[in-house]
Amino acid sequence: MCRFLFFLLTPLISFYGSGQDLILTGVIDGPITGGVPKAIEFYATANISDLSQYAFGVANDGGGTDGPEFVLSGTATMGDFIYVATESTEFNNFFGFSPDFISGFASVNGDDAIELFYDAGGTFGGAEIVIDVFGDINLDGTGQPWAYLDGWAYRRNGTGPDGSTFTLSHWKYSGINALDGETTNSESVSPFSTAGYLTSPDVVAITEFIVDPVGTDSNYEWIELYNYGDNSVDLTGWTLTDEDTDNATIGVASISAGGYLILAASKTDFESRWLGGIPDSRVLEISFTLTNTADEIILSDDGGNLVWSLAYGDDASTGFATFLGYNEDSNPNVYGSQASPGIDRSATDVSGTDGYQANSATLDSQAVTLGGDTGSPLAGAYDQPLPVELLSLSVREENGNSVINWQTAIEVNNLGFVMEKSMDGLTFHQVGFVEGHGNSNFLRSYSFIDEQFYQSSYYRLKQIDFDGTSITGKVLFLLKAEKRPFIVFPNPSTASIQIDSPVENFSMKIFDLTGQRISDQVTTITEAIQIIERLNTGTYLINIENQHFFSKQVIVRY
């Protein structure tokens, strides 16, 4: 897997003397009758010998500052969480532990802002300063995005203290009434993250992606995320966007520190191709399309904050890009570099604007050089090879025998093929073995002859790796009669065409070179001719399939 040199992000911290040692990390307006527990959470970032230098005040209903209302006391050790609640009984019932302080000044109503004050002398006689704040003290929170009625708000890792300026994006929010009907925090659908704040920021990067897999099936596109921080990161509600119309939300998911996560167009297809068909909880399905030629991938957290972004194009240079876009046909031309939207790019991207830097000549200070990666996802945790890329498979009768022919475009770790046969299409048995080419990037043709063909038979091809892993393909049926291959001619063509087909009805799928599906329908020879003749100038891939065969053909219209 790639070796990355990352430039860690500096936490957004405002310093006000030694007052930085305590920050405001959470607030809850509980669901129990009376709106309890009502509580505020603070976190000590250093040892504090005198907590009486700190006080908080609640700015009720947007009436502006009320100044320091409750002064803390005692001491704190670095890493301590401090809770101030309006009462103890229901707080304990809900959370399972007791608050550190009881004060009526903690009576927040889900629309109130909170200020944390610091006074080196501990007198709070007007010389105090605001070292942290939640909410806008001049606004009633009702209807505001930071409202927490019967819910909570919690500070994001690595942020704060923010001084007297409230930063909306530094907080996570449960949403209004998120705790309705709950009786304990541990059993809540949306629990308050007690003692959940960490001083190190959440740092997640896009490390690999594949935009142009062999063939034209966009189901094999995927994006790899890597958590190079110290915290497990909740990705629920994070989004993937580009500068055009793609906007996909990640479902319930988390990524452990030092861990990987795959966002795949098809979870099943990814696990089949890369993981030998083994399901993996680190693979999530998401609806996001990567354009083959040039596109952007922008990762944002659930608050809309930009986490990581990149753009890629047809840059042919290798070794100078931040991220590897592994291309299964061994053509390494889909790289991208990390960049925030707005940085100049030498090549125009698909949105029609110069939004990112060129991969081969990046000036991005956060760019990371890369080399030597084989493109295996999930940090190489699996050594499963790519399945054999089957271009065609057909069966026909010849001289009274069944002849099965197939072609491959790519073979990795391929021991060979087992030919299986069935009389009823349900129970199969092996009738032969054809040795594979191990590893190959060239077109390979294979054939198997069944001399025990009498009236009708079902055939199934099974590919086997050197480690014994096998993948079973589709079933073909042959009725004793002469069968011809499927041919479109002339090819290339500019006007009318003809089709020679063994059957009148078949399924035809047509793709352009970007993987966009142009046509997908069951059709007849006559209808297929009409569809193909209406195609614009260009190169297309046609997939033909029925119960006897399937075939992939490239046709050119000019």
Side-chain angles (χ1 to χ4, degrees), residues 1-2 4 207 224-226 255 258-262 282 378-379:
M1 179 50 59
C2 317
F4 296 92
T207 49
E224 180 188 75
L225 305 182
Y226 173 63
I255 181 170
Y260 290 83
L261 191 75
I262 295 292
R282 295 174 296 173
L378 293 173

Side-chain angles (χ1 to χ4, degrees), residues 267-328:
K267 176 178 171 68
T268 299
D269 288 342
F270 179 91
E271 290 168 343
S272 174
R273 173 163 290 190
W274 290 94
L275 308 183
I278 303 172
D280 195 301
S281 60
R282 295 174 296 173
V283 181
L284 301 179
E285 190 164 296
I286 189 169
S287 178
F288 190 87
T289 302
L290 299 175
T291 304
N292 287 357
T293 52
D295 209 344
E296 312 84 23
I297 309 174
I298 303 171
L299 178 68
S300 302
D301 65 25
D302 58 337
N305 306 299
L306 178 67
V307 174
W308 206 264
S309 63
L310 62 90
Y312 62 85
D314 284 329
D315 304 329
S317 177
T318 62
F320 292 94
T322 307
F323 302 102
L324 172 64
Y326 180 70
N327 191 312
E328 291 175 79

Side-chain angles (χ1 to χ4, degrees), residues 30-44:
I32 301 173
T33 302
V36 292
K38 295 182 185 293
I40 304 169
E41 180 190 271
F42 302 93
Y43 176 77

Side-chain angles (χ1 to χ4, degrees), residues 156 233-239 249-254 300-303:
R156 294 185 184 276
V233 179
D234 183 1
L235 299 178
T236 305
W238 286 36
T239 60
T249 300
I250 300 174
V252 178
S254 63
S300 302
D301 65 25
D302 58 337

Side-chain angles (χ1 to χ4, degrees), residues 170-465:
H170 286 184
W171 292 78
K172 296 180 287 187
Y173 308 91
S174 68
I176 301 298
N177 300 326
L179 295 177
D180 280 355
E182 306 289 6
T183 57
T184 65
N185 190 57
S186 61
E187 296 178 351
S188 296
V189 174
S190 179
F192 180 82
S193 183
T194 54
Y197 174 79
L198 296 168
T199 55
S200 56
D202 296 337
V203 279
V204 177
I206 300 169
T207 49
E208 293 190 86
F209 55 93
I210 183 166
V211 303
D212 190 12
V214 164
T216 56
D217 194 343
S218 60
N219 279 354
Y220 289 108
E221 294 177 349
W222 52 265
I223 300 168
E224 180 188 75
L225 305 182
Y226 173 63
N227 179 0
Y228 63 96
D230 299 324
N231 317 321
S232 177
V233 179
D234 183 1
L235 299 178
T236 305
W238 286 36
T239 60
L240 281 177
T241 60
D242 61 10
E243 291 184 344
D244 303 293
T245 59
D246 272 329
N247 190 334
T249 300
I250 300 174
V252 178
S254 63
I255 181 170
S256 60
Y260 290 83
L261 191 75
I262 295 292
L263 304 176
S266 169
K267 176 178 171 68
T268 299
D269 288 342
F270 179 91
E271 290 168 343
S272 174
R273 173 163 290 190
W274 290 94
L275 308 183
I278 303 172
D280 195 301
S281 60
R282 295 174 296 173
V283 181
L284 301 179
E285 190 164 296
I286 189 169
S287 178
F288 190 87
T289 302
L290 299 175
T291 304
N292 287 357
T293 52
D295 209 344
E296 312 84 23
I297 309 174
I298 303 171
L299 178 68
S300 302
D301 65 25
D302 58 337
N305 306 299
L306 178 67
V307 174
W308 206 264
S309 63
L310 62 90
Y312 62 85
D314 284 329
D315 304 329
S317 177
T318 62
F320 292 94
T322 307
F323 302 102
L324 172 64
Y326 180 70
N327 191 312
E328 291 175 79
D329 64 4
S330 301
N331 180 16
N333 64 351
V334 283
Y335 291 83
S337 67
Q338 189 221 357
S340 297
I343 296 179
D344 287 340
R345 179 177 168 78
S346 63
T348 301
D349 59 35
V350 292
S351 65
T353 60
D354 289 334
Y356 297 82
Q357 291 174 295
N359 306 330
S360 56
T362 180
L363 299 177
D364 186 356
S365 62
Q366 294 187 0
V368 184
T369 57
L370 166 80
D373 193 357
T374 61
S376 57
L378 293 173
Y382 296 83
D383 293 323
Q384 300 287 350
L386 289 173
V388 167
E389 181 66 25
L390 200 64
L391 284 182
S392 65
L393 174 66
S394 63
V395 58
R396 73 179 190 275
E397 181 187 357
E398 186 176 293
N399 298 325
N401 301 321
S402 292
V403 179
I404 301 97
N405 294 304
W406 64 99
Q407 290 182 318
T408 64
I410 290 177
E411 296 182 26
V412 179
N413 198 30
N414 179 30
L415 175 64
F417 302 90
V418 170
M419 182 57 64
E420 297 180 328
K421 180 179 178 179
S422 171
M423 302 306 294
D424 58 9
L426 299 175
T427 303
F428 286 83
H429 63 279
Q430 180 174 337
V431 292
F433 176 80
V434 179
E435 185 176 352
H437 283 84
N439 298 299
S440 172
N441 285 320
F442 301 98
L443 180 68
R444 301 291 185 180
S445 297
Y446 297 90
S447 182
F448 176 80
I449 299 176
D450 177 20
E451 297 179 348
Q452 307 299 314
F453 176 60
Y454 302 109
Q455 183 173 357
S456 64
S457 296
Y458 296 85
Y459 295 96
R460 188 170 68 183
L461 194 66
K462 178 187 290 186
Q463 182 266 323
I464 301 179
D465 296 336

